[in-house]
Amino acid sequence: MARKRLFLFDTTLRDGAQTNGVDFTLADKLAIAKMLDALGIDYVEGGYPGANPIDTELFSEHRKLATAFTAFGMTRRPGRSASNDPGLAALLEAKADAICFVAKAWDYHVRVALETTPEENLASIRDSVRAARSRGREVLLDCEHFFDGYKANAPFALACARAACEEGARWIVLCDTNGGTLPHEVERVIPGDRVGIHAHNDTEQAVANSLAAVRAGARQIQGTLNGLGERCGNANLVSIIPTLKLKPEFAERFEIALSDAQLKKLAHASHALDEMLNRAPNRHAPYVGESAFATKAGIHASAILKEPATYEHVAPDMVGNRRKLLISDQGGKSNVLAELERIGVAVERGDERIGTLLEEVKRREAAGYAYEAADASFELLARRILQKVPNYFDVEKFDVNVEQRHNALGQRVTVSLAVVKVRIDGESLISAAEGNGPVNALDLALRKDLGKYQGYISGLELIDYRVRILNTGTQAVTRVLIESKDETGERWTTVGVSPNIIDASFQALMDSIVFKLVRSGA
Ligand SMILES: [Zn+2]
């Protein structure tokens, strides 16, 4: 039986841009559009031309993408003609392959929000779709609040959809605008190969609702990368895509444009978006998260090494992710061996130093270290025990000073000053730096002058700093996790533990610098 084609519509740049704290520049939008294009998404909705300068500029020229680059906007305003509506005119001028109109499909909204009649709403839909079709554009109609509207007045909601269909719209998209609909309700969606689903995640059902719609007949799925979107987000295409490609129930009945090779780029695309938004990727994200294929317990780990399918629902490399066996107090030798293989430290299976490393990891984890989260510190520890890590430099002493005083304007300010004395090849180097806090000052002073190694760490940047107070039984200690990044975009995490927060931070900072030197072949 021939498989039916499903179409993917990404609205990261339009609906996803509604997320709190997300502001895409034109360059961001172009970069994300190219990434989605390379991924094989059928439609990329770029924005709302006429609504803001960036979106207007985005659609001011043809962007030469393989995807159907789509402009979003409203149907003509009530009481105006299509030719006398500046908003519609701007939309029709946009250099877009497709136009996605949004229209009310709930009579209550038509009355209260638009303050117009159902007849005028239908006429606005007809006129707008006709105008866009006459300009040669493919047309989609987003039926806002469709599911609530359908419950309240089904004939009217359907009349809105039908009006657009009759004027030649390619897709009628049923929107669960406030995200409150549940999968069994969505499954009552009208079947038909011109229906799309646009689900929001307010009950965490956006992915389930999208799949339910497909089962019921919808052939287009709208969503965003990483589920970006206002409130609780939109349907997450990063979870939907592998489900469609890898789960037999969908894969046997449907096909999407993404090839297997493109699917392998999914984890990277997901992380690249987070990178652009300057936020840490969700470790527990299905399919693509760092922990999505992480196994902790030793007994599971040894089974996974023998036969991955025993504990994995799909193969991680299909989506560009990788298997991760956690080094932990529950883990055994197989975890350590697998992890060493991954980081490229060659060792014989029977090498007794593996036992030494495992004991050391267990001892340190009991003291509060967390190597599962700090892969770079684990790698350094392993290399120190199994190979040799050069002693690049010694920190002879450091001094961190926190002072609260009045500044020249009479305001109370707190300033931190760190002085670090480093010895490299018998020579002492002293650096001082001010920071907005003691750890920041220490970090800056430590990285200010490392003599001949300075060139290797110039691109090093501290991007995340997490502190936890732990009770290890005998005393309260502080665990510090530091995430760093270099000029290539590589990220790594290091850990430090001490009763003193500055000392714990110092250990993690030192590991980060030494890790970078080792990786750079200094
Ligand atoms: Zn939406």
Side-chain angles (χ1 to χ4, degrees), residues 183 196 214 216 292 301 310 386 454 456:
V214 169
T310 48
L386 298 167
Q454 195 59 29
Y456 293 103

Side-chain angles (χ1 to χ4, degrees), residues 400-403 413-418 433-445 462 465:
V400 182
N401 192 326
V402 181
E403 186 186 17
V413 290
T414 304
V415 283
S416 299
L417 175 71
E434 274 190 337
N436 54 23
V439 176
N440 179 234
L442 182 62
D443 175 42
L444 294 175
L462 191 160
Y465 177 83

